Amino acid sequence: MREKGYTADQSELGNVYYPAEGVSRAEKVSVNYVEYPWITCFEVEGLDIIKSD
């Protein structure tokens, strides 16, 4: 993944890969397994997309 331009951080569920450019990163990146009544999914916290004009 690194050769494709991705960076990795460790989370409780494993590695979190994200693009090295175009993303702002908080101090801690986490992946959470969440169960809602209508869906079960993974949610990522700590990454935001940098929007260009």
Side-chain angles (χ1 to χ4, degrees):
M1 293 299 286
R2 292 182 194 268
E3 62 273 0
K4 293 182 180 181
Y6 286 84
T7 302
D9 281 332
Q10 191 73 282
S11 79
E12 291 181 18
L13 296 177
N15 290 334
V16 178
Y17 292 92
Y18 56 92
E21 296 179 14
V23 175
S24 68
R25 177 184 167 280
E27 183 67 28
K28 183 177 179 183
V29 176
S30 64
V31 176
N32 305 309
Y33 181 77
V34 183
E35 292 186 34
Y36 295 109
W38 58 90
I39 192 169
T40 300
C41 62
F42 291 98
E43 292 182 346
V44 178
E45 294 179 359
L47 294 176
D48 289 314
I49 297 171
I50 297 173
K51 297 178 183 177
S52 59
D53 294 331

